Structures are given as structure tokens and as C-alpha cells.
Amino acid sequence: MYTILEKRTLAENIYLMRVHAPRVARAAKPGQFVIVRIDEVGERIPLTISDYDAAEGSVTIVTQAIGASTRKLCAMEQGESLADFAGPLGHPSEFVGEDLEALRSKRFLFVAGGVGTAPVYPQVKWLKEHGVKADVIIGAKTKSMLIYTEEMSRVAENLYIATDDGSEGFKGMVTALIKELIDNRGKQYDVCVAIGPMIMMKFVTLTTREYSLPTIVSLNTLMVDGTGMCGACRVTVGGKTVFTCVDGPEFDGFEVDFDEAMRRQGMYRTQEERARAIAEERRNGHKCRVGLDK
Amino acid sequence: MANKIPRVPVREQEPKVRAANFEEVCYGYNEEEALLEASRCLNCKNPRCVAACPVNIRIPDFIHQVLEGNFAEAAAVISQDSSLPSVCGRVCPQESQCEGSCVLGVKGEPVAIGKLERFVGDWKIENADRMPAPRIERNGRKVAVIGSGPSGLACASDLARMGYEVKIFEALHKVGGVLVYGIPEFRLPKDKIVAREVEAVKRLGVEIETDVIVGRTITIDELMNEEGYEAIFIGSGAGLPRFMGIPGENLNGVLSANEFLTRTNLMKAYDEEYDTPIYVGKRVVVVGGGNVAMDAVRTAKRLGAEATIVYRRSEKELPARAEEVHHAKEEGIEFRMLTNPISIIGDERGWVTGIRCIEMELGEPDASGRRSPVEKAGSEFEIPCDVVIMALGTSPNPLLKMTTSGLETNRKGCLVADEHGATTREGIFAGGDAVTGAATVILAMGAGRKAARAIDEYLKNK
């Protein structure tokens, strides 16, 4: 069992959990993910690691309550335990294995969107610890939905905020801010890393392509086991089918077929809605009679 | 010396009833039936069944003990060669192994060796509590086993009996490997059989840690250098699914048999109490002809879909167990033989609407000795469906090779190991599907036991 050491609300429906998982904490590297199972009847939920502390034996995950299972996870409280917490899975970010000297000469731009901001943090933190500078853009719909701004400002060289409504920082999408930085503020970058909703990553790559700025994305596809067994996470990269769990989760954003990836993400949406309806019915104490459970 | 007693039929759930539930299909023999069936064995001087068994179980001996009513003794005879009789009695392809070479089969029906093995295995499980716990002298030396499938369980229990301190590391949240994620409940009950086989292994003092993906959570080198394991057994199976590489394979509604079966077996998606979703639509086409294909198609049927098998060779070449094919037909599965998919068709939203196939005919025998299918020109046609499940075989996960220096694999990604299970790196042994590629439970179990002996030998001389 994996005890929740701390739970915090970061924004509406977005929660941080620091979980006791010593083996995962010791092995985790930036870019990797874990599979979480809440209880005996729970799904295996893939979540990108948002921080880790080997000394404390803890791993941090940040979850947005969207589907039936993420809602259930977000309803868990400090002191309670998760049935399973397996990982770290997938390859670490490419820079982890690169020559530090070469790395220090590179100018990194991270583009973080929504709940995807959390997994950007351990990457920028790792770079900072190894003497590599990185600028970070955090995007959100509105000020109250921004997360990780304080933590990020401690590790980022420059932190830029973009909100759709202009309630904080730059008014507009992250893609417009990328253009603004490069076109008008004289910024130059060698690598871009974008993590956020699939649609955001797609448009970031369309923008960075204009500048021939190599862009890495982290895909949050469907998964069951997360170890290469099921193939639910397959995605087309450079015209080839690969598995996000074992070949990724980070890929060359210019090569990813985002439209297919977004479509495949919706494979079980109707089932998820159904599961949520059944769960709500059960909470109300009666069995479903309108055939939702059929 | 003719045997006048006909083979004792085994009781089964009615096909119509069972095609809508996940309860076990076959009820197995009761004591009376087992005794009668055991009396059919001729106790041959040169038992061909023993030679045909991959682990050479002393079949006439155990059947003789059944006939005498000495079930504990029968179990002891089997356990000299097999540690999973309840499982193998259910899933072995007996018709091409023991029963396939039974003398009685020449003119009539062979002895139901599989059903008798199952009877003995189940009796042993039922009566395990009454048997004294084995007294084992511990030698304090640690061995790690990677994977809790048939080879890992067999290797671990033998090593524990020899006195080693054994710990199994399992990547998933549940113990049993393919026995829990692959083979469906209606063929191998999880609580009644698998969980209790696992309990028996634990009773020998074997520790099991789940959620550990060796190669990611911890490496083999860390296990040896930091956690003090003197030898390692790799029984990580062959878990990576294959796809055909035809157009339309990434449409919504196309999935590997592994995904479909993992959702139903491991995650129990068929039970509404469980959170994992599953989608079958109205009509499911399963591509393939092995046991996994049969498991997938019968699972789809049980989830309410019309279900069809598409296989490129003829029925004679179906690699699945004869009993599974027979059961599938009884349950109303449609078989489209000599049919090969060429593409999968979808609607404008990217969901499967059908599978385009071409008719095949059998040509010359290929390397496997089976006549290879060739396309019949101009015979393309479409089968409308909502879901396509690819059951084309699996290959081993490259993770351990990638993260362990000195561990070699062959062209197919299988670990290189000698007949005793020794890999190309000292102290590391391997067996089961990780070495052979997807094969049978009994071969994996046998390989695990062989490796246990080799590990013992290695550690004694170290």
C-alpha cells in the first residue's frame, strides 16, 4: 500500500498528492510516469511524475478530476493509501542522458499547459541542478487555473505566464507568446519541450515548426498495463506505429500524428461517461434502471 | 486386450448458458467419474504418453494411484515433474501431447489424462490445508525471480524447497502472469485455482512483491549488488503484442488480444463493480487461430457481441487446443477459415466499420510443415464489424536486455539460454516464453524447474 503523505488543492479540480513509494522515488527520472490503482476495483491510471524525493521516499503526482477514475483518485485524502503505485515507467527525458557540457550550451524553452505544467517542473528542476538554463511558459484559461507558478519561478531562468483572458501575464494562447518571445523580444531557443493537452501540443508544434525549433512532446495516451503489453497507447510517429509506454512517453513533436492520437484518446469516452453515471447512481443508493449498466 | 469402457464424458455448462457468463465451462470429474476413467488406462510397459509429455509426468503411475483411491499419492507422483497440475490439466494441448499418443486412441478414444490430472490437482488444492507444512531448512542464500507466471512460480517453489530465500518480483498488481491477465476465467478460475496455487508457493516461504518492473523500478544489477541476490531467474514471459501492419490498424476499435483480455481478465471489465471500461460493439472479428484468439472471441461473445474468427489457414491448421475450438463452435462462434485481412475500414470519425479480407487457398508446406496459404486473386470481400481484435502472437519485452549488460537475445528478441536455463551472463538464468517466445504453460513450468536445479548447482559451486 502506498500512503498519501500530503494532498493539496492547486486549482479547481486539480490536486497534488505526495505519495510514499520508496522504490519509485529512488529510480525516478524526469519525463517518466507511474501507473496508479486506487483500490481493488480501480483502473490502472497512467500519470506523469511531477516530483520525487529519494531521501523521503516520496513521489508527487498532480491530477485533474476529469474522468470517473481521476475523480475517484482526487477524492482520496491525506493518510489514505493507494492500492498500487508502479513505476517509474517509460524512458526518461532525452537530456538526462546527454553530455552536460553540450547541454549547458543549449537554450531550452518549456511550454506547459494546464495540468501538464506539473510534469514540466521536475525537468526544469533537473536542468537547473545540472547548471542548464531554461525558460518556461505556463499557460492556462484564467489566473485561478494556473498551477506550479511559485515552484517553477524558483527553477526557471525566465518564467512567462499566458492566460486566455489576460487575467495574469500575457493575454492569449501559449503559441502567441512563443511568437512574441522570438519575434519581438529577441529570444532564441535550441530546444522546445511542450507538455499539456494534446491539442495544445499539436498547435505548439505547428508554431515551432515555423521557426525550425525542434520540439519534444510528452504524450498522455490511453494505457492499461503501461509496460508494453496491451498496445492501447499506440501512436503514429514518423509514419511508424510505436507504443507510448515503452517507446515514449516523449517523442519528436514534428513526427507525431496528433489527430490520430486525439481520436484514439476518445476511444472509451462513452464508456467513461457510462461508468460515471453508474457510480453516481450507486452513490445515490439505487441500482440503475435506465439500462446504463447494460 | 480391448478396453470396453468408453471414455467417461466430462460434465460441462450448457453452451447457451455459458456463452453469457464467465463461469468455468468444464466442471471436471468427480471421484466416481475419475475412478472409472482411471480404470481405462492399460498401464502400458512402454508408456508413450510419458514420452509425449513435455515434462514427462509419470502418467500411468499417477493414474494407477487414482484407481487405488490414493489421491495424495497421485498428487505426489505428479509433483515430481509438474508443480501446476490444476492449471496444466485445464490448459495443456493434450491432444497433441499425452492423449495424442495414448494407445487407446489408435482405435478408440484415449484416456482423458488431462481431466484426471485436473482432478488430482484440484483434490490437492482442496486438501492442502490438511497436509502438513513442509519443514525446510533455510540456507540463507537469496535468489530473485522476475515474473510470477508459470515459470517463475515453478522455479521459486523448487528453490524454496531446496532452502533458498526466494523473492518473486511481479510488474503487475496481481500475481500469476499469463494465468491472470491472459487466460480467461471461464477456462481457468482465478480465485479457485490460480490464487490458491500462488498461496501454495507462498506457504513454502516465497515472498512476492508486486508493482516492481525490473529494469525500471530496479535493475538486475541493483538486485545483485545492493539487495544481495546471488542468482536471478528471468521468467518475464512474452508480453508484447504483434500487429499485422495493414492499413486502418490504428482506427478506434482495433485492439490487441492482450489489451482485450487484460481488460477483462486482469481488470475484470466484465464485472460492473470494476472501473475499467471495455468496448465490444455489436460485432467483433478476431484475427488469428491460436488459444489466445479463441479466448478473445469467446470473451467477446460473453460480453454480448456476435463474434467471428478470421484465420488464414484451414481448420486443420488451427493451433488452438481442440477442446477450445469445439467449445467455441458450441457457443456459436463463427469461423471464417482461409481468410486473411488486407485492411480495416473506418467511418469519417475514425471508428471501425468493417474488415476487408481476401480468400486464401493452401499451397506447399512451409518451414513449420504446415501448408502455406496463398491469396486467391480477385476474392476480396468485407465483413462489417465494430471491433477488430488482433491475436497474432506475442514477443518478449526488450526491457531486461536493454537494462542488463551481457544479456544476449536472438533475432526474435528471445533471451539466449542453454538447456539448463543459463543465460549469457553468469548468475542469471531464464526460462519460459522469455526464452522460447510464446509457448505453453507446461513448457514454461518445466523450464522454471530445470533452471531451479541449475541455480542450485551454480550456487553450490560458487
Side-chain angles (χ1 to χ4, degrees), chain A residues 23 72 84 87 229-230 234, chain B residues 209 211 217 249 256 258 275:
Chain A
R23 281 201 191 275
K72 195 164 138 184
D84 299 281
M229 261 174 45
C230 78
R234 60 195 195 279
Chain B
E209 188 174 341
D211 294 339
T217 312
E249 229 169 359
S256 72
N258 258 9
D275 296 340

Side-chain angles (χ1 to χ4, degrees), chain B residues 16-62:
Chain B
K16 270 222 173 80
V17 177
R18 72 178 191 240
N21 69 42
F22 279 82
E23 310 284 311
E24 190 171 15
V25 169
C26 175
Y27 294 124
Y29 285 154
N30 60 25
E31 207 172 302
E32 191 187 337
E33 291 162 336
L35 289 175
L36 185 59
E37 182 61 23
S39 75
R40 294 180 68 231
C41 177
L42 300 178
N43 209 346
C44 304
K45 265 219 183 72
N46 279 317
R48 302 199 302 189
C49 53
V50 176
C53 171
V55 298
N56 310 114
I57 292 174
R58 286 146 236 208
I59 294 165
D61 292 359
F62 98 74

Side-chain angles (χ1 to χ4, degrees), chain B residues 123-134:
Chain B
W123 183 91
K124 191 179 165 192
I125 286 179
E126 287 300 320
N127 293 278
D129 303 340
R130 285 201 265 134
M131 294 199 227

Side-chain angles (χ1 to χ4, degrees), chain A residues 155-166:
Chain A
V155 293
E157 185 66 11
N158 295 292
L159 174 64
Y160 306 98
I161 307 283
T163 50
D164 295 1
D165 61 2

Side-chain angles (χ1 to χ4, degrees), chain A residues 2 23 26-27 32 37 40-44 69 72 83-91 224-225 227-230 232 234 236 241 243 260 263-264 266-268 271 282 287 293, chain B residues 169 172-174 181 209 211 213 216-218 226-227 239-241 243 249-256 258-259 262-263 267 272-279 349-351 397 402:
Chain A
Y2 304 84
R23 281 201 191 275
R26 222 161 66 107
Q32 293 186 296
R37 207 173 61 115
E40 196 41 46
V41 300
E43 275 191 84
R44 291 172 67 91
S69 288
K72 195 164 138 184
D84 299 281
F85 198 92
L89 292 160
H91 290 286
V224 184
D225 60 288
T227 65
M229 261 174 45
C230 78
R234 60 195 195 279
T236 304
T241 296
F243 286 10
E260 180 190 271
R263 183 209 346 113
R264 290 186 55 79
M267 170 75 207
Y268 290 95
Q271 274 73 40
R282 249 190 248 129
K287 248 185 119 59
D293 53 352
Chain B
F169 294 94
L172 294 172
H173 57 267
K174 231 179 173 142
Y181 76 74
E209 188 174 341
D211 294 339
I213 302 99
R216 285 275 178 246
T217 312
I218 191 163
E226 292 169 27
E227 303 212 357
L240 300 196
F243 288 89
E249 229 169 359
N250 285 349
L251 288 166
N252 286 11
V254 184
L255 51 165
S256 72
N258 258 9
E259 179 183 351
T262 301
R263 281 180 187 276
M267 307 309 296
E272 73 144 55
E273 294 295 321
Y274 287 75
D275 296 340
T276 299
I278 193 149
Y279 176 74
R349 289 166 44 250
W351 284 73
N397 196 317
M402 274 162 34

